[in-house]
Amino acid sequence: MDFVQYKCPCCGAALEFSPETQKLSCHSCGNQYDLETMERYEKEEKKSADQDLSWEYQKEAKGARRTEDGKYICPSCGAEIEADENTVSTTCPYCDNVVVIKETASGEYEPDVMIPFQVQGNRARQMFEGFCKGKRLLPKNFRDKSYLRNLKGYYVPYWLFDCRANADMSFDATKVRAWSDSEYDYVDTSYYLVNRAGSMEFYHVPVDGSIEMEDDTTESIEPFDYRGLTQFNPAYLAGYETDKYDVDAKTAERRAKERLYNSAEQVLRGTVRGYNTVVAKRRNLSSEQGKVHYALFPVWLFETVYNGKKYQFAINGQTGKMVGELPVDTGAFWKYLCGFTAVGTALCSIIGILLFGGVL
């Protein structure tokens, strides 16, 4: 498995993709490079490297070697990098060099499209810090802001489903009429079977292709703005963690169909008007011209485990929409509960004294 590295042509430091400028940025010397310039530069460097590869030691120095325990050797500093078969891009923990693993970023694993990050790391940290501010029941490490180290930028793999669908559904509906006279109240309920059918087109219905990402989390940070879709370019991965999909398209179909059925039902149900209650009875959906696309979408992700439970908080790396659950410090909870109880008891005692003129 080979590495693709993005280094500053000026000083040799690692380059990162900047959401603000949409360029590769060097934090060391401050230079910025557009993607086309770096592609041309990399091609020229590759030509030179190919000519130099006639020497055995240069082949070993430039190549990424895999160790027996499944780790990889950083071509920059020689340290071991943990990278499994799903890793597309990662960062060396010793020299901070950002590398893209070719084997999982090309061929069948190369995305059709992607959306680059638009929300910068500093902005994501400010948003997350603002969300946590004032929440007194968070664990101690949230109070000292050490939790911010766990907020990382990820490109999450997605499957996008397109199709033209024909929907045929029926609904049980009721109309209720109520009136009264001098003696009784009356309720008359009429029951109806309402049929609806229609055709509709679905474009890029998303299903995340990662086992680690909770469906509730990824679906809650939707929608992504598809006007930001662009062709895949490994340069966009620089500075972010990326895994290839570990949920294949066939497996993702089940969730896609569920989302298609729910969307189609919502559309047809919206045409059933004038009833007091409407409940779906039968749902049929057939599709044609179906296509599936592989994509990478940007997400700022915070994960932690507290009292044996996993918590996941996400920020849409394009729109900034936030969603997730944070842990509660049980000790702090009982402390505040006892405090409020004590205050409540004292207030009741004071009120009793004022009302009844003393203590019995």
Side-chain angles (χ1 to χ4, degrees):
M1 187 177 292
D2 295 329
F3 286 120
V4 179
Q5 296 178 292
Y6 293 93
K7 289 189 174 183
C8 176
C10 181
C11 68
L15 295 176
E16 293 185 4
F17 177 73
S18 170
E20 183 178 17
T21 63
Q22 297 292 294
K23 295 181 179 181
L24 288 169
S25 176
C26 178
H27 294 293
S28 178
C29 65
N31 284 317
Q32 294 186 340
Y33 309 92
D34 59 64
L35 303 185
E36 292 77 9
T37 299
M38 282 305 301
E39 284 181 354
R40 291 196 298 269
Y41 177 79
E42 290 293 327
K43 288 179 181 178
E44 292 300 320
E45 285 292 299
K46 188 176 186 303
K47 290 179 182 178
S48 300
D50 290 341
Q51 294 173 355
D52 294 337
L53 287 179
S54 57
W55 287 280
E56 182 68 18
Y57 72 88
Q58 283 204 351
K59 287 183 181 179
E60 187 168 342
K62 292 294 184 181
R65 304 193 315 278
R66 184 175 185 176
T67 61
E68 293 182 358
D69 57 358
K71 297 181 180 180
Y72 294 87
I73 303 300
C74 174
S76 179
C77 69
E80 286 188 345
I81 301 174
E82 292 188 3
D84 59 25
E85 66 277 5
N86 293 325
T87 303
V88 175
S89 67
T90 188
T91 303
C92 176
Y94 298 95
C95 67
D96 287 332
N97 189 53
V98 179
V99 293
V100 178
I101 300 177
K102 285 183 178 179
E103 183 175 319
T104 50
S106 60
E108 64 177 304
Y109 298 118
E110 180 175 334
D112 301 310
V113 291
M114 67 181 299
I115 295 177
F117 270 88
Q118 300 292 328
V119 178
Q120 289 188 301
N122 290 339
R123 175 56 181 157
R125 293 181 183 89
Q126 290 173 0
M127 294 169 63
F128 190 33
E129 184 180 353
F131 181 85
C132 296
K133 187 176 181 180
K135 293 180 171 57
R136 299 177 179 271
L137 299 183
L138 292 174
K140 181 180 179 181
N141 65 314
F142 281 80
R143 294 193 289 274
D144 60 22
K145 300 182 181 180
S146 60
Y147 65 92
L148 289 174
R149 294 195 300 265
N150 293 333
L151 183 66
K152 297 181 179 179
Y154 287 88
Y155 277 106
V156 177
Y158 273 83
W159 296 106
L160 307 179
F161 292 82
D162 298 347
C163 73
R164 180 178 177 83
N166 297 308
D168 181 11
M169 300 185 180
S170 61
F171 302 88
D172 286 328
T174 63
K175 287 184 178 180
V176 180
R177 186 169 63 95
W179 71 95
S180 302
D181 58 22
S182 58
E183 296 184 9
Y184 300 101
D185 296 327
Y186 301 92
V187 176
D188 177 60
T189 303
S190 301
Y191 297 87
Y192 301 86
L193 178 63
V194 183
N195 295 308
R196 290 290 188 270
S199 60
M200 55 198 75
E201 293 188 1
F202 292 94
Y203 174 71
H204 285 5
V205 176
V207 177
D208 79 76
S210 171
I211 293 177
E212 292 298 319
M213 291 294 295
E214 302 289 342
D215 287 342
D216 290 342
T217 300
T218 53
E219 292 176 11
S220 295
I221 61 173
E222 295 175 11
F224 288 90
D225 186 352
Y226 290 152
R227 291 176 297 181
L229 283 171
T230 184
Q231 291 184 339
F232 172 72
N233 189 323
Y236 288 124
L237 308 183
Y240 305 96
E241 300 286 337
T242 312
D243 284 348
K244 72 176 181 64
Y245 65 85
D246 49 15
V247 176
D248 60 31
K250 197 67 178 176
T251 304
E253 273 186 21
R254 181 172 59 183
R255 180 57 183 159
K257 288 180 179 178
E258 183 179 347
R259 301 198 74 180
L260 290 172
Y261 266 90
N262 291 339
S263 297
E265 178 186 336
Q266 184 178 3
V267 171
L268 295 185
R269 180 191 289 266
T271 67
V272 184
R273 302 186 180 93
Y275 299 93
N276 295 101
T277 64
V278 178
V279 179
K281 178 181 179 64
R282 176 180 55 84
R283 304 195 311 172
N284 288 331
L285 189 70
S286 61
S287 64
E288 55 189 20
Q289 302 174 7
K291 294 181 180 179
V292 184
H293 309 272
Y294 179 38
L296 293 178
F297 288 169
V299 176
W300 287 100
L301 185 65
F302 170 83
E303 288 185 317
T304 189
V305 177
Y306 185 74
N307 286 341
K309 181 180 177 181
K310 178 182 175 182
Y311 293 87
Q312 196 172 77
F313 188 94
I315 301 175
N316 187 313
Q318 181 196 31
T319 67
K321 184 179 180 180
M322 298 186 295
V323 68
E325 182 183 9
L326 296 177
V328 173
D329 186 337
T330 52
F333 171 78
W334 288 112
K335 177 182 177 181
Y336 279 101
L337 181 62
C338 292
F340 287 132
T341 302
V343 171
T345 302
L347 288 175
C348 289
S349 299
I350 294 172
I351 293 172
I353 292 173
L354 294 175
L355 289 177
F356 301 105
V359 180
L360 296 177

